Amino acid sequence: MAIWADEKIRLLVQGITGHQGKFHTKAMREFGTKIVAGVTPGKGGTNIEGVQVYESVEDAMEMRPNASIIFVPAPYACDAVIEALDNDIKLVVVITENIPFHDAIKFVNYAKYKEATLIGPNCPGIVSPGKTKIGIFPNHIFKGGNVGVASRSGTLTYEIVNELSMAGIGQSTCVGLGGDPVTGTNFIDALDAFERDEETEAIVLVGEIGGTAEEEAAEFIEKKISKPVYAYIAGRTAPEGKRMGHAGAIISAGKGTANSKIEAFKKAGVKVARFPSEIAEMIKNDKKIW
């Protein structure tokens, strides 16, 4: 098993003819993802990396896609997401960054209304090793296994997954939730899905300063999660009031600090690493208990 994305995925690439769309379509196909169609208005009838391009999502539905990835530029991304949702696609991964705040609120809420799973925006996507990849993660770092990974940081996800694989610890699913203040799925959604996934035996959370997502996840872990959880929080030395990389990574009025998140996780029984490289060592040492 895996969460949200498995070998049954038939992927649609919206914005397939752009530089990023072309590059990652090739990489996803090399990973084994079944890409059935692409969409770029004005370029229907062309072909990218062996994938037929359509004028609209409605036209592309003849190829029966059940998931979509969005590489559409920020000013048009909201319309692209809504077009996918209106055609009853139930898994939408939004890679695009710098999407206007009110556009993100609009399509995140519309996805909830349509009962669809929306990952992102401003995220690296989702990978279930050996099954499918919907995103921009490097192909070579993954290894199939039983540890689920959910992260707000794309780059730290790559680093921690690579450490896990090098230590012989495989992953069930790795999901990048995105670093914006408003995202479709959050830590609680991922924790709930990993708890119900029979293949996942342990969970890694990669958080960062800003917002209250980690504190809310800690409360959920304490009440609902039976599997061991490990965490790393980025931004321990960040100064107050300064944004660090992600739009959501800002400490304001003393709230959203690394210390408050670390303490919340520790209270919930989560082991917290001081450095990204410690996660693999912690899991390796604990494998005898799970």
Side-chain angles (χ1 to χ4, degrees), residues 101 152 179-183 246-249:
F101 185 73
R152 289 174 66 188
D180 282 359
V182 177
T183 58
H246 287 162

Side-chain angles (χ1 to χ4, degrees), residues 33-234:
T33 305
K34 188 166 188 177
I35 300 176
V36 298
V39 167
T40 298
K43 300 206 175 163
T46 57
N47 188 292
I48 298 292
E49 297 294 338
V51 178
Q52 177 74 34
V53 181
Y54 291 81
E55 286 287 325
S56 67
V57 175
E58 184 178 10
D59 291 345
M61 292 308 291
E62 70 177 20
M63 297 304 294
R64 297 178 289 110
N66 56 16
S68 180
I69 184 168
I70 308 290
F71 289 108
V72 175
Y76 315 108
C78 182
D79 287 345
V81 174
I82 288 174
E83 187 182 3
L85 295 170
D86 277 342
N87 281 279
D88 288 330
I89 290 180
K90 296 299 185 188
L91 174 61
V92 181
V93 176
V94 186
I95 304 296
T96 309
E97 59 182 354
N98 298 321
I99 292 177
F101 185 73
H102 287 91
D103 283 1
I105 290 175
K106 183 179 177 181
F107 66 65
V108 163
N109 282 314
Y110 193 55
K112 289 177 182 170
Y113 169 74
K114 298 288 285 186
E115 298 182 342
T117 298
L118 188 141
I119 299 171
N122 187 19
C123 79
I126 182 168
V127 178
S128 297
K131 299 181 176 72
T132 193
K133 179 181 92 164
I134 308 174
I136 59 174
F137 296 95
N139 286 357
H140 65 280
I141 62 174
F142 295 97
K143 173 184 173 67
N146 54 9
V147 174
V149 180
S151 171
R152 289 174 66 188
S153 166
T155 307
L156 282 173
T157 310
Y158 310 159
E159 186 175 343
I160 288 173
V161 167
N162 191 49
E163 295 275 357
L164 291 174
S165 295
M166 288 175 63
I169 301 165
Q171 308 89 46
S172 53
T173 297
C174 304
V175 56
L177 303 169
D180 282 359
V182 177
T183 58
T185 52
N186 56 33
F187 281 131
I188 291 176
D189 298 321
L191 283 162
D192 184 50
F194 281 133
E195 177 71 13
R196 289 183 284 106
D197 178 33
E198 293 176 1
E199 186 180 11
T200 300
E201 295 184 37
I203 304 165
V204 173
L205 300 183
V206 184
E208 63 185 10
I209 58 169
T212 57
E214 290 80 1
E215 287 89 341
E216 291 161 12
E219 283 185 27
F220 187 80
I221 291 166
E222 205 166 2
K223 294 174 183 172
K224 302 283 186 180
I225 302 299
S226 64
K227 299 176 181 179
V229 182
Y230 305 83
Y232 172 73
I233 302 294

